[in-house]
Amino acid sequence: MGNNFTPILLALALLLLPVQWESVSGSGLLCKEEERRALLHIKAELSCSFLKWEGKECCHWERVTCHSRTGHVIELDLRYPDGPHMINAYSLLLNATIFLPLRQLRSLSLSELGICDCVAGAGFESWSTLNKLKMLDLSYNELNRSIISSLVQVPSLRILDLEGNENMTGNVPVNEFSATNLEVVNLRDCGFNGSLPYLGDWSSLKAFSVSGNDLYGTITSTGLCRLKNLEELDLSYNNFAGTLPPWQIPRELTKLTSLEVFSVAYNNLSGPTLDLKAQFGTFDNRIYEGNPNLCGPPLSKSCFSYHDTKLPSQNKTGNDQGGESINFLILFGSFALFFVVSFWGLITVLYFKSNWRYGLFNLVDEYGDMIYVRVVLFVRKIRAAQRNN
């Protein structure tokens, strides 16, 4: 599926459209002194030498966006420009409280800076006071799953990107997410190695990716069919499995009419696909690739050939052979019993019903003579034809 998280970008664009409309990078607006000092503190804390912040007007600084009327910083993009931050040979122990003066912050990107929450007291729980923050990008850092319990306390958060934080293990903490208003969550390549819990209670969810983890189990028990607002679902590159029966891709997914992006590629799924029903008629075979035991459109593999390959092996165990022998004996015995009962039943009736017996004998004589005559005439015709030739 690549590294592009389309719905995140789309949602981010729609979400930040008002921000861009209300923002400036100039117009002589004076930024707040408290926020200017906070920005300089953040730069020093993150060792962001790539930032050329000069002068007193922070609203003119690169990667800083201010509100056009109030002058408050509303957007801050500090992602490392050339890939993962390799300046420090050690993890960056960030004191998250340095962002608290930016009370009107709506969008924050701290991607690829090597940030970790490997010690207690990092202060991420204090971000619950940033009640304007809607988009948070912490991708490609060294965070573990403990940070999630802090981030879900941010009441206004709608988009959360944690892709590439590979220290998150166990099950995906869906229960924590579902209690929030999060709409877009990116958990690609995060190291989760458990099952995917029930998602049906996460009513606000629109885009969700857990691609590239080590998740297992079936998809049928995750409650996906209740997510009526779901627009993107990426479950690719995991270990979701299933054998027939039952079908491991739930039929009810075709009822998700808002679904625009979908992938279960490179798992261990088996059985028929969702065919080309509803919105699934707009997807190509890439959404299923890497599952050799899946069959049906849009895949080239027919489900008939799939079932053929699943016929029982000729090399059967002693138990299998014994079971088949018993079944054959039962079938043969049933036919034999039916024949014996029918034959002797007919004989008994004819013995006691003399008129039936005489009628049957006359019928046999009549039709026997007729058949005999027809056979003799047919044979004579064949012999005559042979003599003429």
Side-chain angles (χ1 to χ4, degrees), residues 16 27 46 60 93 102 110 141 145 150 154 165 177 197 227 229 242 296-297 305 317-318 323 348 353 379-380:
L16 297 183
S27 70
L46 297 178
H60 294 177
L93 304 178
L102 307 179
L110 300 174
N141 284 291
R145 63 178 295 142
S150 298
V154 182
N165 288 278
F177 288 133
L227 304 177
N229 297 318
S305 62
T317 64
T348 303
K353 292 282 189 178
V379 171
R380 291 183 64 181

Coordinates of all heavy atoms in Angstrom, one line a residue, residues 16 27 46 60 93 102 110 141 145 150 154 165 177 197 227 229 242 296-297 305 317-318 323 348 353 379-380:
L16 N -7.4 21.4 8.3 CA -6.6 22.6 8.4 C -7.0 23.7 7.5 O -6.3 24.7 7.4 CB -5.1 22.2 8.3 CG -4.6 21.2 9.3 CD1 -3.1 21.0 9.1 CD2 -4.8 21.8 10.7
S27 N 2.2 40.0 7.3 CA 1.2 41.1 7.5 C 1.5 41.9 8.8 O 0.6 42.6 9.3 CB -0.2 40.5 7.7 OG -0.3 39.8 8.9
L46 N 14.8 20.4 21.2 CA 14.8 19.4 20.1 C 16.1 19.4 19.3 O 16.2 18.5 18.4 CB 13.6 19.6 19.2 CG 12.2 19.5 19.9 CD1 11.1 19.8 18.8 CD2 12.0 18.1 20.4
H60 N 6.7 35.2 11.5 CA 7.4 35.1 10.2 C 8.3 34.0 10.1 O 8.9 33.8 9.0 CB 8.1 36.5 10.0 CG 7.2 37.7 9.9 ND1 7.7 38.9 9.7 CD2 5.9 37.8 9.8 CE1 6.7 39.8 9.7 NE2 5.6 39.1 9.7
L93 N 15.1 12.6 25.0 CA 14.2 12.6 26.1 C 13.5 14.0 26.2 O 14.1 15.0 26.7 CB 15.0 12.4 27.4 CG 15.8 11.1 27.4 CD1 16.6 11.0 28.7 CD2 15.0 9.9 27.2
L102 N 1.8 27.1 24.1 CA 1.1 27.3 22.8 C -0.3 26.8 23.0 O -0.7 25.8 22.4 CB 1.9 26.5 21.8 CG 3.4 26.8 21.6 CD1 4.0 25.9 20.6 CD2 3.6 28.3 21.3
L110 N 6.0 16.4 15.0 CA 7.3 16.1 15.6 C 7.8 14.8 15.0 O 8.5 14.0 15.7 CB 7.2 16.0 17.1 CG 6.6 17.3 17.8 CD1 6.4 17.0 19.3 CD2 7.5 18.5 17.6
N141 N 9.4 7.9 15.5 CA 10.2 8.2 16.7 C 10.4 6.9 17.5 O 10.4 5.8 16.9 CB 9.4 9.3 17.6 CG 9.5 10.7 17.0 OD1 10.6 11.3 17.0 ND2 8.4 11.2 16.5
R145 N 4.0 2.1 23.7 CA 2.5 2.2 23.8 C 2.1 3.0 25.0 O 0.9 3.3 25.1 CB 1.9 0.8 23.8 CG 2.3 -0.1 24.9 CD 1.6 -1.5 24.8 NE 0.2 -1.3 25.0 CZ -0.7 -2.0 24.3 NH1 -0.3 -2.9 23.4 NH2 -2.0 -1.9 24.5
S150 N -1.7 8.8 27.4 CA -1.6 10.2 27.6 C -2.3 11.0 26.5 O -3.0 12.0 26.7 CB -0.1 10.7 27.7 OG 0.5 10.1 28.9
V154 N -6.3 14.1 25.2 CA -6.4 15.4 24.5 C -7.8 15.4 23.9 O -8.1 14.7 22.9 CB -5.4 15.6 23.4 CG1 -5.5 16.9 22.8 CG2 -4.0 15.4 24.0
N165 N 6.7 3.9 15.0 CA 7.2 3.8 16.4 C 7.2 2.3 16.7 O 6.1 1.7 17.2 CB 6.3 4.6 17.4 CG 6.6 6.1 17.2 OD1 7.5 6.6 17.8 ND2 5.7 6.7 16.5
F177 N -8.8 4.1 22.4 CA -9.1 4.9 21.3 C -10.6 5.2 21.1 O -11.0 6.3 20.8 CB -8.5 4.3 20.0 CG -7.0 4.4 19.8 CD1 -6.3 3.3 19.4 CD2 -6.3 5.5 20.1 CE1 -5.0 3.3 19.3 CE2 -5.0 5.6 19.9 CZ -4.3 4.5 19.6
P197 N -8.6 -6.1 18.7 CA -9.8 -6.2 19.4 C -11.0 -5.6 18.7 O -10.9 -5.1 17.6 CB -9.5 -5.3 20.7 CG -8.0 -5.2 20.7 CD -7.6 -5.2 19.3
L227 N -19.0 0.1 11.7 CA -18.3 1.4 11.5 C -18.8 2.1 10.2 O -18.2 2.1 9.2 CB -16.8 1.2 11.4 CG -16.2 0.5 12.6 CD1 -14.7 0.3 12.4 CD2 -16.4 1.3 13.9
N229 N -19.1 5.1 9.3 CA -18.3 6.3 8.8 C -17.0 5.9 8.2 O -16.2 6.8 7.8 CB -18.2 7.3 9.9 CG -19.5 7.9 10.3 OD1 -20.4 8.1 9.5 ND2 -19.6 8.1 11.6
G242 N -7.3 -17.5 8.5 CA -8.6 -18.1 8.5 C -8.7 -19.2 7.5 O -8.1 -19.2 6.4
G296 N -11.7 -16.0 -6.2 CA -12.8 -15.2 -6.6 C -12.4 -13.8 -7.1 O -11.3 -13.3 -6.8
P297 N -13.3 -13.1 -7.9 CA -13.1 -11.8 -8.4 C -12.7 -10.8 -7.3 O -13.2 -10.9 -6.2 CB -14.4 -11.4 -9.1 CG -15.1 -12.7 -9.3 CD -14.7 -13.6 -8.2
S305 N -11.5 -24.0 -8.6 CA -10.2 -24.6 -8.5 C -9.7 -24.6 -7.1 O -9.0 -25.5 -6.7 CB -9.2 -23.9 -9.4 OG -9.1 -22.5 -9.0
T317 N -4.9 -41.4 6.9 CA -4.5 -42.1 8.1 C -5.4 -43.3 8.3 O -6.5 -43.4 7.7 CB -4.6 -41.1 9.3 OG1 -6.0 -40.8 9.4 CG2 -3.8 -39.9 9.0
G318 N -5.0 -44.1 9.3 CA -5.8 -45.3 9.6 C -7.2 -44.9 10.1 O -8.2 -45.6 9.7
G323 N -13.0 -44.8 9.1 CA -14.3 -44.1 9.0 C -15.0 -44.2 7.7 O -16.2 -44.4 7.6
T348 N -44.9 -61.8 -0.6 CA -45.9 -62.0 0.4 C -47.3 -61.6 -0.2 O -48.3 -62.2 0.0 CB -45.6 -61.3 1.7 OG1 -44.3 -61.8 2.1 CG2 -46.6 -61.5 2.7
K353 N -52.8 -62.5 -2.4 CA -53.7 -61.9 -3.4 C -53.6 -62.7 -4.7 O -52.8 -62.4 -5.6 CB -53.3 -60.4 -3.6 CG -53.5 -59.5 -2.4 CD -55.0 -59.2 -2.4 CE -55.2 -58.1 -1.3 NZ -56.7 -57.7 -1.2
V379 N -33.9 -59.2 -35.5 CA -32.8 -60.1 -35.9 C -32.9 -60.5 -37.4 O -31.9 -60.5 -38.1 CB -32.7 -61.3 -35.0 CG1 -31.6 -62.3 -35.5 CG2 -32.3 -60.9 -33.6
R380 N -34.1 -60.8 -37.9 CA -34.3 -61.2 -39.3 C -34.0 -60.1 -40.2 O -33.4 -60.3 -41.3 CB -35.7 -61.7 -39.5 CG -36.0 -63.1 -38.8 CD -37.4 -63.5 -39.1 NE -37.5 -63.8 -40.5 CZ -38.7 -64.3 -41.0 NH1 -39.8 -64.4 -40.3 NH2 -38.7 -64.5 -42.3

